[in-house]
Amino acid sequence: MGALKNLEYLNFSPIPYWLFNMSQSLVHLNRRRSELVGPIPNAFGKLTSLTILDLQENFLTGEILTTFASSLKKLYLSVNQLEGSFAKSIANLSRLVVLDVSSNSLKDIFHENQLLNLSDLRVLDLSSNNIMFNMSSKWLPPFQVDVIPLQSCLLGPKLPRWLQTQKKLSSIDISSAGISDTLPHWFWNLSFNTVLMNLSNNIDNNFIGPIPQISPNLMSLVLANNSFSGPITSICESLVANNSLSFLDLSYNLLSGPLPDCWKYGENLVVLNLAKNDLSGRLPYSIGHLIHLKALRLDMNSFSGSLPSSLKYLTNFFVIDLGGNMLSGKIPPWIGETFVNLMILCLPFNNFSGKFPYFLCQLKHLLYLDLGVNHLSGTIPRCIDNFLTMAKIEAEPSYVDKLSCSIPPWIGYLPSLTYLNLSYNHLPGKIPSGVLSLFPASSFMKNDKLCGHPLRKACSEPFYDDPQCRVNDQQDIEYEDQDHDELTSFYVSMGIGFVTAIFVYWIVLLLNESWR
């Protein structure tokens, strides 16, 4: 063991207790994702040369030590089960550059004197804990941080004035921070180098006022779940000078007016989320310039008219949600021809009309479809089982509105089908046997000509489909014959696809921290 006297870097599991007696020269200890359990050993205080300690993503419990060696520069304790207070534990770590204790169960109140010695601090990540800041409006921090994620920390109700002193910010997250205030002009000029800004989910949805012109270097802007109002023309002004913006989330605000025709300047956008506002008018043709767009959410607004043909140039889509608008016309066939990677398609509560779009059968990766409450007619094509088996991704109705042909028997033999709602249609005939018998009667309500279990209405005589439905069935059979090999490969990869769909939906649309 004497050979370990000059050990500087250690990376193995578990932590041997002889280490604390024999490795006075240890500088860097990395035990991330090592399934460590129990409290942090007090013996860490003996490692007087230790500068980097990484114990992230374990199962550590108890409080954070007060005996860490003062030599520490980087301390990573995120994603554990630590609890209790800890502000006093880090007050004397005067050389600390990085402090990351995010995603624990810590509960504490930070006062000015507990941060006075941290003049070298560059990263302060206290997010996803129960931490309150009790600072006066005149407090001047001793540090200039680069990254400051304070999600779920209690900073409000007023926007902390000490943030104005931070001139080197590249990333700031004060989402869910209990702030009820207007944003002053100085906030938008915090740093020319800021690339990520997240102000979502504050108290009473009460960041108010118009959206100002943003920093030209900003790559990600999240203002969701607030009370920002007025038009979004300022975003256009920013896009002209800023081609770096890739993630824009203004959802769940009070924004109004038309969608500006300025998107030719936003070619680097990957995610555009304007859901749940009061935006109106036709979708502009320039939206077809967003060639890198992977997720588009414009749902729950008042958009009208048909889908612009320029959308067919956007070949990278994974997610499209245009539900809850007043869009009309036929669902264009280029959706099936162009959006080859599409996994989630939501167009419900609009005014789309015409026959059920058979070209959706071309979308081999589609896992979730919602066309509910439109004016579609016809029968359900056989190929639709690709995504009906995956309708369990969301507990939302997968209506197909105003269908008038009988329910195809093959639907009853989809063993993975866990959710289906065919209510409010004109479906006639007998409900097929199989898994559909396990569904509640509410899944088939308001179909006056439908009979059989689980409905109380018995089928008294044989039913024969309309001749037009039989034509549709024949077209479906021909389509299947042409595409049998591709469907087989689809089912082989279905398990992987299910996991991927959940990942894309939650990670991309909800801005998960790991996505950032």
Side-chain angles (χ1 to χ4, degrees):
M1 292 186 182
L4 298 178
K5 268 187 180 178
N6 297 318
L7 184 65
E8 293 187 358
Y9 180 86
L10 182 65
N11 184 357
F12 67 87
S13 176
I15 299 174
Y17 276 83
W18 52 258
L19 171 72
F20 299 115
N21 295 322
M22 301 189 63
S23 285
Q24 300 304 312
S25 61
L26 184 63
V27 173
H28 184 177
L29 178 59
N30 183 351
R31 290 311 325 128
R32 180 185 294 198
R33 299 176 188 160
S34 299
E35 300 185 3
L36 300 177
V37 297
I40 301 173
N42 282 305
F44 273 117
K46 298 179 180 180
L47 301 178
T48 55
S49 297
L50 191 65
T51 61
I52 301 175
L53 177 59
D54 189 343
L55 302 178
Q56 296 180 90
E57 300 178 50
N58 284 290
F59 303 96
L60 298 173
T61 57
E63 296 191 359
I64 294 178
L65 301 176
T66 59
T67 56
F68 280 127
S70 60
S71 59
L72 270 180
K73 291 186 177 181
K74 297 181 180 181
L75 178 59
Y76 302 95
L77 298 174
S78 65
V79 194
N80 278 286
Q81 300 167 14
L82 299 168
E83 56 189 7
S85 61
F86 74 102
K88 293 180 180 178
S89 304
I90 55 100
N92 295 320
L93 300 180
S94 59
R95 301 178 64 187
L96 209 58
V97 176
V98 175
L99 175 62
D100 184 355
V101 295
S102 59
S103 300
N104 280 284
S105 299
L106 299 167
K107 184 176 182 179
D108 210 344
I109 300 177
F110 267 75
H111 300 278
E112 297 173 12
N113 63 328
Q114 292 162 334
L115 297 172
L116 285 178
N117 296 327
L118 305 182
S119 58
D120 293 333
L121 199 63
R122 294 295 177 266
V123 176
L124 178 62
D125 191 347
L126 309 178
S127 58
S128 300
N129 286 288
N130 187 3
I131 296 172
M132 178 187 297
F133 277 70
N134 186 14
M135 313 296 187
S136 72
S137 59
K138 298 180 180 180
W139 180 56
L140 297 176
F143 48 73
Q144 285 289 323
V145 291
D146 300 318
V147 179
I148 184 166
L150 299 177
Q151 175 208 351
S152 300
C153 296
L154 184 57
L155 303 177
K158 293 295 183 181
L159 183 72
R161 295 283 301 183
W162 59 265
L163 289 174
Q164 189 175 3
T165 68
Q166 303 302 295
K167 304 301 183 183
K168 298 181 178 180
L169 284 175
S170 63
S171 173
I172 178 171
D173 185 343
I174 53 173
S175 60
S176 304
I179 298 173
S180 177
D181 202 357
T182 57
L183 285 174
H185 289 295
W186 60 258
F187 183 83
W188 300 102
N189 298 319
L190 276 178
S191 173
F192 189 77
N193 298 315
T194 303
V195 296
L196 186 151
M197 185 178 290
N198 188 344
L199 312 182
S200 61
N201 299 308
N202 273 289
I203 190 170
D204 298 325
N205 296 328
N206 215 14
F207 266 137
I208 61 176
I211 296 175
Q213 189 170 340
I214 59 178
S215 166
N217 292 317
L218 202 61
M219 295 177 64
S220 177
L221 177 63
V222 183
L223 304 180
N225 285 288
N226 284 290
S227 295
F228 290 106
S229 58
I232 62 171
T233 51
S234 59
I235 296 296
C236 285
E237 296 169 4
S238 301
L239 287 177
V240 172
N242 169 24
N243 286 321
S244 59
L245 191 64
S246 61
F247 196 112
L248 178 62
D249 186 351
L250 306 180
S251 61
Y252 289 80
N253 278 284
L254 304 174
L255 302 172
S256 59
L259 197 60
D261 194 11
C262 66
W263 301 102
K264 65 180 180 180
Y265 301 107
E267 62 266 20
N268 286 318
L269 271 173
V270 176
V271 174
L272 176 59
N273 188 352
L274 302 177
K276 194 61 173 70
N277 281 286
D278 193 25
L279 300 169
S280 59
R282 301 179 69 91
L283 299 182
Y285 188 85
S286 64
I287 204 168
H289 287 272
L290 304 178
I291 57 175
H292 297 295
L293 205 63
K294 295 182 184 295
L296 176 64
R297 286 197 58 187
L298 301 177
D299 47 299
M300 293 183 285
N301 280 283
S302 299
F303 293 116
S304 59
S306 58
L307 297 180
S309 60
S310 60
L311 279 177
K312 65 184 177 184
Y313 301 119
L314 309 184
T315 60
N316 295 306
F317 274 130
F318 284 96
V319 178
I320 299 177
D321 191 344
L322 304 177
N325 284 285
M326 296 182 287
L327 297 170
S328 59
K330 294 183 178 180
I331 298 176
W334 42 257
I335 288 183
E337 299 165 359
T338 303
F339 301 156
V340 293
N341 298 315
L342 195 63
M343 304 175 81
I344 297 172
L345 177 61
C346 296
L347 303 175
F349 294 94
N350 278 289
N351 294 317
F352 290 114
S353 59
K355 297 290 185 181
F356 190 98
Y358 272 69
F359 49 80
L360 295 182
C361 296
Q362 298 171 255
L363 299 174
K364 301 307 177 188
H365 300 289
L366 192 63
L367 297 179
Y368 184 79
L369 174 70
D370 191 345
L371 301 179
V373 194
N374 279 286
H375 303 292
L376 303 176
S377 60
T379 186
I380 305 173
R382 176 68 175 85
C383 71
I384 222 74
D385 62 359
N386 290 2
F387 35 80
L388 282 184
T389 57
M390 313 311 290
K392 57 188 176 186
I393 290 177
E394 285 201 8
E396 293 290 338
S398 284
Y399 299 103
V400 184
D401 194 37
K402 304 302 180 187
L403 298 180
S404 57
C405 299
S406 61
I407 302 174
W410 54 263
I411 289 184
Y413 299 98
L414 297 176
S416 300
L417 185 63
T418 59
Y419 191 89
L420 177 68
N421 194 324
L422 295 173
S423 58
Y424 292 90
N425 280 288
H426 298 310
L427 297 167
K430 183 179 180 180
I431 298 174
S433 57
V435 296
L436 296 189
S437 64
L438 304 176
F439 283 61
S442 59
S443 298
F444 308 97
M445 66 181 185
K446 301 298 181 180
N447 286 280
D448 295 339
K449 298 180 180 180
L450 204 59
C451 61
H453 187 76
L455 297 178
R456 294 183 180 180
K457 181 180 179 181
C459 298
S460 57
E461 57 186 36
F463 170 80
Y464 299 98
D465 245 337
D466 184 277
Q468 181 62 40
C469 295
R470 291 197 291 273
V471 170
N472 289 341
D473 289 342
Q474 182 60 36
Q475 292 173 343
D476 207 16
I477 292 171
E478 292 172 357
Y479 183 92
E480 284 185 1
D481 289 341
Q482 297 169 3
D483 216 25
H484 179 269
D485 292 338
E486 292 187 26
L487 282 176
T488 300
S489 64
F490 175 86
Y491 284 110
V492 171
S493 62
M494 182 176 287
I496 298 173
F498 177 70
V499 175
T500 305
I502 295 177
F503 178 87
V504 170
Y505 191 77
W506 292 109
I507 302 304
V508 174
L509 296 188
L510 302 184
L511 190 62
N512 184 281
E513 289 181 3
S514 63
W515 187 92
R516 295 203 302 263

